[in-house]
Amino acid sequence: SGGSGDETIHVFSLASGHLYERFLKIMMLSVVEKTKRPVKFWLIRNFLSASFKEAIPGIAREKGFEVELVRYQWPPWLRAQTEKQRIIWGYKILFLDVLFPLGLRKVVYIDADQVVQADLAEL
């Protein structure tokens, strides 16, 4: 889903490490609490811990949101990065067109450490 008739708010984020996974969970819950329309989170699975990946489907069911874990391999033709932060920046900026389905009209990026204070439908 994600076409023009879709009321779902699509949110993209990523987290690396247990601290940012806790922030991510808080951000996600703040979005769901403040947003009246259905919400779907798109998270890059490459950096998430096994325990977070295991827990998030249950949280999604309990709180009433959708979540999709997307994976993308760094392309071999692009200079390999060794610094984790640079890899994360690459995923946040360079690969957006291949992370999401083509029909997805709008995705809102929210840093994991943000708390949402208003309905995202206003954006």
Side-chain angles (χ1 to χ4, degrees):
S1 63
S4 58
D6 189 1
E7 288 294 305
T8 301
I9 303 286
H10 296 271
V11 178
F12 167 54
S13 195
L14 64 148
S16 175
H18 293 295
L19 175 63
Y20 275 84
E21 286 177 352
R22 283 198 298 274
F23 290 154
L24 178 61
K25 183 178 162 191
I26 292 166
M27 180 275 286
M28 293 168 78
L29 296 177
S30 74
V31 167
V32 172
E33 181 184 308
K34 299 289 184 183
T35 302
K36 293 172 183 63
R37 288 169 38 187
V39 178
K40 181 170 184 174
F41 292 96
W42 300 79
L43 308 176
I44 296 184
R45 73 179 307 130
N46 302 44
F47 307 109
L48 297 173
S49 69
S51 59
F52 187 89
K53 287 185 273 196
E54 210 173 277
I56 201 64
I59 297 167
R61 273 192 308 277
E62 179 187 324
K63 299 296 182 181
F65 61 85
E66 283 185 80
V67 66
E68 185 148 342
L69 302 180
V70 292
R71 176 188 299 278
Y72 185 68
Q73 280 314 118
W74 195 272
W77 49 265
L78 193 60
R79 182 186 312 183
Q81 297 296 319
T82 54
E83 213 182 305
K84 191 174 193 179
Q85 193 58 51
R86 288 182 67 120
I87 295 169
I88 290 171
W89 287 336
Y91 281 97
K92 284 197 313 197
I93 299 165
L94 296 177
F95 308 129
L96 294 180
D97 61 331
V98 293
L99 286 175
F100 307 111
L102 289 175
L104 197 58
R105 205 171 44 82
K106 183 170 154 182
V107 178
V108 179
Y109 174 80
I110 303 176
D111 272 326
D113 59 357
Q114 299 300 300
V115 174
V116 172
Q117 306 275 340
D119 192 327
L120 289 183
E122 297 170 18
L123 295 177

